[in-house]
Amino acid sequence: MKHLRTLMAVTVAMTFLLGLSVALRPAEVRPVAADRCREAVLTTSSGTVTSSSCDGELATRVSSLLDSSVREVADVLDIGWARRVDVVVPATDDELVALVGPAFADMAGIAIRDGSGQRVVLNRVRAAALTDLELRVLLRHEITHVATRDLTSDSAPLWLVEGFADWVAFHGLGLSLRQAAPLLTSDVSALPSDFGGSGRDLAYQQAYSIMVYLESGLGERGVVDFFLRTASLSAVDPAVVDVAGWREFLRGSIG
């Protein structure tokens, strides 16, 4: 479970402003013999998975999860969006960098918007190393960003944007708050802000727990409405979350 939380816990502070979302720590990227690979496209009811023939196993895994992941995100959000996601697995490191930029090339999954529209770009090495559950969580997290991008202000805080994407990604998996967020303690006095420094893992888990706290009072649809109403604002007042109430919820949930 620690690996699963690490998957969802790493990003950089300017991610959403750049139209990108990221997940997973950097690791060494293995070279691919691109000269023997051909482009391959797998089509599902909810989108496409474009990869090279050398990454066929990963592409097959992604395509097998894509329809259910889109459906699961759509069921939670219940908003008007295309309910279609195109996933790209670049065949080479150069292709990956060309799509997402060098600062993001070491991440497992990135939701981008460019001249070709919105796409989820996967790092073939990192994504291939994930379990099916981890890959499902990654896809759901990135699909949430795709689905809500046009409804979210660029100035929305990361605790809201990433916490909500985590909440959707983990929704219905049957994990307790402690299992999903093992670093959490009830010692909180302010909304998380250290999403790019040494405290980023905890910040992500705190952001996720805020959404779980809100769900305890607002219900599932109430959390979605809260996100859509708040994330669309040009500026978000930190007082929209009762920090004292959140702290008491954590005390009751995890001690």
Side-chain angles (χ1 to χ4, degrees), residues 15-35:
T15 293
F16 193 74
L17 295 178
L18 292 172
L20 305 172
S21 67
V22 300
L24 204 61
R25 295 184 183 279
E28 184 180 355
V29 179
R30 298 192 305 268
V32 170
D35 56 344

Side-chain angles (χ1 to χ4, degrees), residues 32 34 36-43 47-63 86-92 95 99 119-125 127-128:
V32 170
R36 61 184 176 84
C37 303
R38 305 178 309 277
E39 183 179 279
V41 180
L42 298 178
T43 301
T48 61
V49 181
T50 302
S51 70
S52 77
S53 57
C54 294
D55 297 307
E57 181 179 354
L58 173 59
T60 298
R61 291 177 61 205
V62 172
S63 66
D86 294 314
V87 181
V88 178
V89 184
T92 68
E95 290 178 15
L99 282 173
R119 292 174 287 171
V120 172
V121 180
L122 299 183
N123 180 308
R124 68 190 187 282
V125 175

Side-chain angles (χ1 to χ4, degrees), residues 159-181:
W159 66 261
L160 178 64
V161 175
E162 299 300 339
F164 183 73
D166 260 10
W167 179 76
V168 176
F170 282 99
H171 188 273
L173 296 183
L175 302 178
S176 69
L177 184 57
R178 173 57 72 193
Q179 289 174 314

Side-chain angles (χ1 to χ4, degrees), residues 59 112 221:
I112 69 170
R221 184 64 210 183

Side-chain angles (χ1 to χ4, degrees), residues 132-149:
D132 284 347
L133 177 59
E134 290 166 344
L135 187 57
R136 178 185 177 192
V137 169
L138 173 61
L139 288 172
R140 287 172 58 165
H141 183 103
E142 302 306 333
I143 290 168
T144 300
H145 286 311
V146 170
T148 61
R149 183 78 68 197

